[in-house]
Amino acid sequence: MQGAKAWPVIIATAFACALTACSPPEPEVSAASVTTSVPDGATHVGPSDPLVVTAHRGVLTSVTVTADGGTAVPGELTDGGRRWTTTAPLEFSKTYRVHALAQDAERIPAPPTNATFTTATPVEEVTVERTRPSDGDEVGIAMPVSIYFSRPVTDRAAVERRLSVEPSVPTEGSFHWMSDEQVNWRPKDYWQPGTTVRVRARLYGVDTGGGAMGTADHESTFRIGRDQRAVGDVNTHTLTLFQDGQEIKQLPASYGRSIYPTQHGVHVAFEKHTSTRMRSDTWGGPQKGEPGYYDEVLPYAVRISNNGEFIHVNPATVWAQGQSNVSHGCVNLSPANGKWFFDWVQIGDPVEIVGSDRPLTTADGDIPDWTIPYDEYVRGSALHESR
C-alpha cells in the first residue's frame, strides 16, 4: 500500500519537469546589429565612396567582401572593431557580396548580415584633362586655379562636392564655373606670398550627369611666389612695377589707340614668349588687305588676355612710348625695358590697366576672374546656395 501512495507524486514531478526545468532554454538574443553603407540589392552604385560595414551595440568579428569570381576586397577595422572600410576602390560593373558577423558586449553573436549590390557602368568617361597652375609651378599672387575636364559636366554640384583647394595659409575663396568644361577657384583677395596650395579632384566613380562618370582622381600642388604687381596707365603712358608693396620701376609705354583701346581691369600674366608671331586677324582686328593689318614676329611678349593683348617689345613705337597711344591694344615697350620686364614678371602676376574706356570682360579669355565682383563670383559656384 505504501508504494501505491507514492505514485501521484512521481506523476506530478514528471509533469512539472515537462513544463519547467526539463524544457530546453530559450536562445539568448544579441543586442548587436550590422548595417552596410550600400543597401542590399542596390544597383547602378557609383563607386566614388568606400564600402563601410558598421556594428551597432557591439563589434564586428568577421567581414568578407568579394567581387565577381570570388576576388576578396581588402579592408580594415577601425573604431575599436565597430567599423570596417574597404581600402581599395570598388570597380565599375561589378557585383559585390558582403558577409558580416558581429557580437554584443556579452559576446552573444548577432544573426549574420548578407548583402549584394552592383556598381554602375559609365555611359561616358570623365577625367581632369589638366589644371592651371600645373603641379610644381610657382606663380604670382593673382593666378586663379583652373580645372579643365575632358568632357562637359552637367551635374556641376556633384562634381564640385568632390573638388577641393587647400592653401597652407587660411584663405577665403570660391569656385566659379566658367563653362561646363572649366571651373576656376580664386581667393577673395590676392594670395599671400609663400602659400602652398593643394588641388584635389576626387572624381572616381562620380556621376557627372547623364551617366557620364569620373574614372580617375587628380591631385596637384603649386606655390605662390613673391608679391609683384604692374599698373598700366593709358593716360600717363606708363607701366609702373611694384614688388612687396614698393614701387621699383616706371617704364614709358604706348597703349592701344582710341579705336583699339587696351582694356581696363585686372589682367593676369599667363604666357611668356621670347618671340611670337602677331597677326591682327587673329583677335578680330584688321583683316588681311584692310588698313592697319599686321603680321609680324615681335620679341619678349607676355600675354595678359586671350583677346590679343600682350606686353611686348616694339622698337617701331619707341618714339611714342611715354607720349601717346599708337598700338592695336598691346602695351609697347622699348627693347631694353621690354627685356627687363620679361625677365622680372612671373606667370600669375596681376597687371591692372587703368584709364581706358573699354573694360576687360569674361568674353576676353579664361582669366577674367578679377573683373568679377567677389559676391557675384561666389554665385558662380554650383554650391553657393548651400553655404
Side-chain angles (χ1 to χ4, degrees):
M1 296 297 292
Q2 291 178 351
K5 291 180 180 178
W7 182 252
V9 177
I10 295 171
I11 293 174
T13 303
F15 184 67
C17 178
L19 292 177
T20 58
C22 296
S23 299
E26 290 291 331
E28 296 181 279
V29 178
S30 177
S33 62
V34 176
T35 58
T36 58
S37 58
V38 180
D40 182 30
T43 58
H44 307 293
V45 175
S48 57
D49 295 312
L51 170 68
V52 180
V53 180
T54 305
H56 307 273
R57 301 181 65 183
V59 295
L60 296 163
T61 56
S62 173
V63 178
T64 303
V65 179
T66 56
D68 294 335
T71 304
V73 179
E76 64 176 359
L77 276 173
T78 58
D79 195 21
R82 289 182 288 271
R83 182 183 177 94
W84 183 95
T85 307
T86 51
T87 54
L90 300 180
E91 298 181 42
F92 291 106
S93 311
K94 294 281 188 182
T95 297
Y96 288 89
R97 293 171 177 81
V98 183
H99 179 74
L101 301 175
Q103 64 182 22
D104 64 16
E106 303 299 323
R107 298 189 177 181
I108 301 172
T113 295
N114 294 289
T116 301
F117 64 90
T118 303
T119 52
T121 299
V123 174
E124 298 282 352
E125 296 185 3
V126 181
T127 60
V128 172
E129 195 168 70
R130 64 186 177 94
T131 59
R132 183 182 58 200
S134 300
D135 189 46
D137 281 354
E138 182 169 290
V139 296
I141 59 174
M143 179 60 83
V145 176
S146 297
I147 301 173
Y148 300 88
F149 302 101
S150 60
R151 57 170 286 111
V153 167
T154 56
D155 191 342
R156 294 179 174 184
V159 169
E160 192 174 323
R161 289 188 188 97
R162 308 290 295 191
L163 306 177
S164 63
V165 174
E166 304 164 18
S168 61
V169 176
T171 305
E172 181 181 354
S174 175
F175 283 105
H176 183 99
W177 287 82
M178 299 296 181
S179 71
D180 285 343
E181 296 177 67
Q182 178 188 348
V183 62
N184 283 11
W185 190 99
R186 58 155 266 213
K188 182 178 181 180
D189 303 305
Y190 291 147
W191 296 103
Q192 181 173 320
T195 301
T196 298
V197 185
R198 180 167 70 165
V199 180
R200 291 197 291 172
R202 300 179 297 280
L203 292 188
Y204 178 80
V206 175
D207 190 333
T208 68
M213 304 189 80
T215 54
D217 293 340
H218 182 92
E219 182 172 324
S220 63
T221 302
F222 64 93
R223 184 178 182 276
I224 306 301
R226 60 188 179 271
D227 183 341
Q228 294 190 168
R229 314 176 191 209
V231 177
D233 190 325
V234 303
N235 295 318
T236 63
H237 318 293
T238 56
L239 181 68
T240 306
L241 310 181
F242 299 85
Q243 188 166 308
D244 299 323
Q246 301 297 315
E247 180 180 331
I248 61 168
K249 210 170 188 67
Q250 187 174 87
L251 308 176
S254 183
Y255 293 86
R257 67 190 79 171
S258 58
I259 192 174
Y260 302 118
T262 308
Q263 293 168 289
H264 72 79
V266 177
H267 302 61
V268 178
F270 68 99
E271 288 180 8
K272 295 173 69 173
H273 304 275
T274 53
S275 66
T276 191
R277 182 183 179 188
M278 297 187 181
R279 289 169 37 196
S280 58
D281 57 355
T282 60
W283 53 268
Q287 302 299 297
K288 191 171 184 178
E290 295 179 348
Y293 172 79
Y294 62 85
D295 181 356
E296 54 189 327
V297 176
L298 291 167
Y300 299 115
V302 178
R303 185 188 290 273
I304 59 173
S305 81
N306 286 108
N307 63 0
E309 291 177 315
F310 286 82
I311 300 174
H312 65 84
V313 165
N314 190 344
T317 65
V318 171
W319 63 271
Q321 293 165 22
Q323 303 296 323
S324 60
N325 296 325
V326 298
S327 83
H328 286 76
C330 289
V331 183
N332 287 183
L333 300 174
S334 70
N337 288 336
K339 175 64 165 58
W340 193 96
F341 176 79
F342 183 89
D343 292 338
W344 174 82
V345 72
Q346 301 170 121
I347 296 299
D349 284 350
V351 178
E352 183 177 5
I353 304 299
V354 299
S356 166
D357 59 3
R358 182 180 296 176
L360 185 71
T361 72
T362 55
D364 295 309
D366 58 357
I367 312 184
D369 302 64
W370 300 100
T371 69
I372 305 171
Y374 186 67
D375 288 348
E376 180 183 339
Y377 196 91
V378 170
R379 291 195 293 274
S381 162
L383 304 177
H384 75 277
E385 292 183 352
S386 62
R387 293 186 174 188

